[in-house]
Amino acid sequence: MFDKLEEVVARYEELHTLLSSPEVLNDPKKMIECNKNLNALTPLIEKYKEYKAVKDDVEFIKESLKTEKDEDMRSMMQEELKENEEQMPELEKELKILLLPKDPNDDNNVIVEIRGGAGGDEAAIFAGDLFRMYCRYAERKKWKIEIIEKQDLEGLDGLKEVAFSIQGFGAYSKLKFESGVHRVQRVPKTESAGRIHTSTATVAVLPEVEDITEVHIDPKDLKIDTYRSGGAGGQHVNMTDSAVRITHLPTGVIVQCQDERSQLKNREKAMKHLASKLLEMEVEKQRSEIEGERRLQVGTGDRAEKIRTYNFPQGRITDHRIKLTVHQLEAFLDGDLDEMIDALITFSQAEMLSASGEE
């Protein structure tokens, strides 16, 4: 581990030198890249400095104790030594976590897809609840939200499906474990007998592709249709065929966007959505081949996997992957997700540490 840390220190110093070189100073793109790499290494460097300071203190106190005669001073030094030695294992663990391979998409924006599953209208109402929950969470983080495609449930406050982007640094690192089947247990608004029903909605979280040229998409593989956007009418009714539907023929993936009045903007959004879906499919294929049987439980992202239950009668939310139950359901649905998200990240890091120890 310490050899790796010294390599990181050398790289950190190299980046500092590069930032003051004419080659980088005269190239804004290189400067941005250097700063990004430097910022990524800073938490590890600071933690390593903290570790070395504590380690130096331990060694200094041990040496001093060899010659110190005063019993009161020796007692104080031994107490300080004990405190510092107790810090060491935790600091080493934190360093190991910071050294874990970082998901290259962690800093990316995300595209979130939510669809009503089993349960008819109640599933669509729950999909709407999840959409508002993630929007409120994004607002708390001061991230930007953009709708790509939304199909409302007629006559009720719900969504058949919605796709939207969340733009904010580190959005994917926080939301990537939300992919899967979310289950709700409650008495539906449409239930007159007061019986508890179980419904589901699926969530998919995709890292947004910043530059769609990174993903090879042959124009010949695309079927592009335009149509008139739906809406309530009035002065904002869309009288042109500005909505865009794109079908990727080799995979059968379909994306659409009707949020913008401009067909060009809708097409751009739809293409970015398509690129993100195709990239995620490729990454998932590679991940499956690499991990095989040793697949990280929390990070499967399988859309058929039941990951969480929202139980209204008991006011609790249970994540089945990490066996964690939190209460205050109303606050959770209002976007207070940090406790759950932090627990999922910690669990994933622990699994990665365990896996790296086995290799």
Side-chain angles (χ1 to χ4, degrees):
M1 179 176 82
F2 294 104
D3 288 342
K4 284 184 183 178
L5 285 166
E6 289 303 325
E7 288 175 13
V8 173
V9 170
R11 176 59 178 157
Y12 186 80
E13 291 170 352
E14 180 188 3
L15 287 166
H16 261 297
T17 304
L18 281 171
L19 274 171
S20 58
S21 69
E23 178 191 357
V24 172
L25 287 170
N26 296 323
D27 189 333
K29 191 173 180 181
K30 285 184 179 178
M31 184 177 286
I32 291 169
E33 186 66 23
C34 275
N35 271 313
K36 185 178 177 182
N37 291 334
L38 198 66
N39 290 337
L41 295 179
T42 297
L44 178 56
I45 294 295
E46 289 178 351
K47 186 60 65 177
Y48 189 34
K49 284 180 181 176
E50 184 184 349
Y51 173 83
K52 289 204 289 187
V54 173
K55 187 170 182 288
D56 289 345
D57 284 348
V58 166
E59 291 172 357
F60 176 76
I61 294 169
K62 283 181 175 179
E63 283 299 313
S64 300
L65 279 168
K66 291 177 182 178
T67 56
E68 183 59 55
K69 305 297 184 188
D70 185 275
E71 284 303 317
D72 289 339
M73 182 61 74
R74 284 183 64 85
S75 178
M76 288 174 59
M77 291 168 69
Q78 284 169 342
E79 185 63 32
E80 188 177 350
L81 177 63
K82 182 184 176 186
E83 288 176 4
N84 284 332
E85 285 181 331
E86 286 174 352
Q87 284 186 60
M88 298 285 283
E90 186 59 34
L91 287 170
E92 287 181 10
K93 183 180 177 183
E94 290 175 21
L95 283 170
K96 286 176 183 176
I97 288 171
L98 288 167
L99 277 170
L100 288 172
K102 189 178 178 185
D103 187 327
N105 293 313
D106 271 354
D107 296 339
N108 286 28
N109 302 328
V110 297
I111 292 175
V112 183
E113 303 171 346
I114 304 173
R115 292 179 175 83
D121 288 349
E122 171 61 11
I125 293 169
F126 180 48
D129 292 339
L130 292 177
F131 172 59
R132 282 186 291 275
M133 179 181 81
Y134 292 124
C135 286
R136 290 291 293 120
Y137 178 71
E139 287 166 10
R140 287 168 183 252
K141 299 292 182 186
K142 296 184 168 38
W143 295 339
K144 184 181 176 185
I145 300 159
E146 279 191 3
I147 305 295
I148 299 170
E149 167 68 9
K150 184 155 72 88
Q151 292 186 33
D152 296 302
L153 178 66
E154 292 181 16
L156 291 169
D157 185 19
L159 293 170
K160 292 179 180 176
E161 62 180 85
V162 62
F164 58 103
S165 67
I166 297 178
Q167 297 161 24
F169 183 77
Y172 185 70
S173 69
K174 292 288 187 181
L175 293 170
K176 62 184 176 182
F177 300 127
E178 294 300 298
S179 289
V181 175
H182 294 239
R183 182 175 70 172
V184 63
Q185 295 173 328
R186 65 182 172 190
V187 178
K189 296 174 184 176
T190 54
E191 170 61 56
S192 57
R195 292 172 299 184
I196 295 171
H197 286 230
T198 298
S199 304
T200 63
T202 60
V203 175
V205 179
L206 315 172
E208 186 177 79
V209 176
E210 293 179 9
D211 182 1
I212 63 170
T213 59
E214 295 174 15
V215 181
H216 176 68
I217 302 175
D218 190 335
K220 295 175 185 174
D221 291 337
L222 302 179
K223 179 175 180 281
I224 301 175
D225 300 306
T226 58
Y227 59 99
R228 190 163 299 176
S229 299
Q235 62 177 333
H236 299 300
V237 70
N238 191 337
M239 300 303 291
T240 61
D241 292 341
S242 64
V244 174
R245 181 186 297 108
I246 301 176
T247 305
H248 185 247
L249 299 174
T251 60
V253 171
I254 300 173
V255 295
Q256 50 195 20
C257 183
Q258 61 176 23
D259 193 57
E260 302 285 350
R261 297 189 193 183
S262 158
Q263 186 182 116
L264 181 61
K265 287 184 179 178
N266 280 329
R267 180 167 175 153
E268 287 175 357
K269 277 190 179 183
M271 282 298 294
K272 185 169 278 193
H273 190 185
L274 175 64
S276 296
K277 286 175 80 78
L278 294 178
L279 180 62
E280 180 67 7
M281 287 171 68
E282 184 59 33
V283 169
E284 183 60 31
K285 181 181 173 185
Q286 293 172 3
R287 188 183 296 141
S288 298
E289 290 172 355
I290 292 168
E291 292 177 358
E293 293 301 313
R294 193 178 55 84
R295 192 181 185 84
L296 298 183
Q297 292 177 28
V298 73
T300 63
D302 186 348
R303 298 183 203 186
E305 175 190 13
K306 182 187 70 180
I307 64 165
R308 192 176 297 153
T309 294
Y310 302 69
N311 186 299
F312 275 69
Q314 298 177 20
R316 63 173 171 79
I317 311 97
T318 299
D319 195 287
H320 304 292
R321 298 164 295 180
I322 58 175
K323 310 296 187 288
L324 174 67
T325 294
V326 298
H327 296 276
Q328 298 178 320
L329 178 61
E330 189 175 332
F332 194 89
L333 288 171
D334 194 44
D336 187 6
L337 309 182
D338 282 326
E339 181 183 354
M340 182 70 77
I341 284 173
D342 290 346
L344 285 160
I345 291 170
T346 300
F347 183 86
S348 175
Q349 289 171 341
E351 279 202 316
M352 290 175 71
L353 276 176
S354 176
S356 64
E358 292 170 6
E359 291 171 356

